[in-house]
Amino acid sequence: RNEMLAAKHIIRKQPYTTLSLFHPSNFLRARNMGTIAKGVEFDTIAREWRCKWSVADDKASLVSAQEAVTTVISDIKAVDGVKNVQRVVCGGCLDFKIITSVSAEKFGAWEEQGFSPEVDFLSKLKSIDGITDVETQTYTLMPL
C-alpha cells in the first residue's frame, strides 16, 4: 500500500516535460516558426487552466467549477483561432482542467489579450470552497 501511495504521489506531482521549453524568447521564436527543435513541429498552441477539487460535500467544488466554466464557455469559443475546448476531470487525483487549443498563428493575439476570459474564470475558481492549486500552463499540440 505504501508503494502504491508513493507511486500515486510521484505521478500526481510530475510536471509536463514541455514546460522547460518555454523560456519567453524561445517560445516566441517557436511560435513564429512552428518548430521547437528539429523534427518537433506544431500547429496548435494550448492554454490550460487547472485546479484540484475536493470530494467534500458530495463533490460540491467540482459542481461549482463546472458551473464557472458554463459562465465563460461562449467567450472561450469566440476566441479567434480556437480549434477545440476540452474539459478534463480525474476522479483519482481530483484534477479539473480546461484546455483551449488555438491555431499557432492566432495564439499571439489571444496572448496579447491576456487569454481572456482567463482572469475572470480563474477568479471564479479561486473563490470556490474546496478548490486549490489554481494554475495555468501553455504548451504546443500536434497530431501524430
Side-chain angles (χ1 to χ4, degrees):
R1 175 151 166 82
N2 286 341
E3 290 173 2
M4 287 175 43
L5 289 174
K8 181 179 178 185
H9 179 72
I10 291 169
I11 293 168
R12 188 171 162 194
K13 296 294 184 180
Q14 181 179 356
Y16 289 98
T17 56
T18 58
L19 184 62
S20 64
L21 297 175
F22 295 113
H23 181 275
S25 63
N26 291 340
F27 184 68
L28 289 173
R29 192 167 36 252
R31 185 178 66 215
N32 292 333
M33 293 173 40
T35 302
I36 296 172
K38 183 180 177 184
V40 186
E41 294 84 18
F42 63 92
D43 63 358
T44 303
I45 303 176
R47 183 70 170 177
E48 179 178 286
W49 305 327
R50 64 178 175 250
C51 65
K52 297 290 185 178
W53 53 275
S54 169
V55 296
D57 299 320
D58 200 25
K59 304 175 187 172
S61 60
L62 176 60
V63 171
S64 294
Q66 179 60 45
E67 290 170 351
V69 171
T70 303
T71 68
V72 297
I73 192 66
S74 62
D75 293 332
I76 298 169
K77 289 183 175 184
V79 170
D80 187 28
V82 165
K83 292 180 162 188
N84 197 7
V85 180
Q86 297 172 289
R87 185 200 65 220
V88 177
V89 176
C90 177
C93 61
L94 307 181
D95 282 338
F96 181 87
K97 302 176 181 186
I98 300 300
I99 302 168
T100 305
S101 303
V102 179
S103 63
E105 61 272 3
K106 300 284 187 170
F107 185 83
W110 188 38
E111 183 179 36
E112 288 172 7
Q113 297 168 2
F115 304 111
S116 181
E118 179 173 287
V119 171
D120 181 42
F121 178 66
L122 297 181
S123 176
K124 288 176 184 188
L125 284 180
K126 290 175 184 178
S127 73
I128 299 170
D129 287 337
I131 295 289
T132 60
D133 301 330
V134 177
E135 301 173 333
T136 63
Q137 184 172 357
T138 299
Y139 45 82
T140 66
L141 298 172
M142 186 69 175
L144 299 178

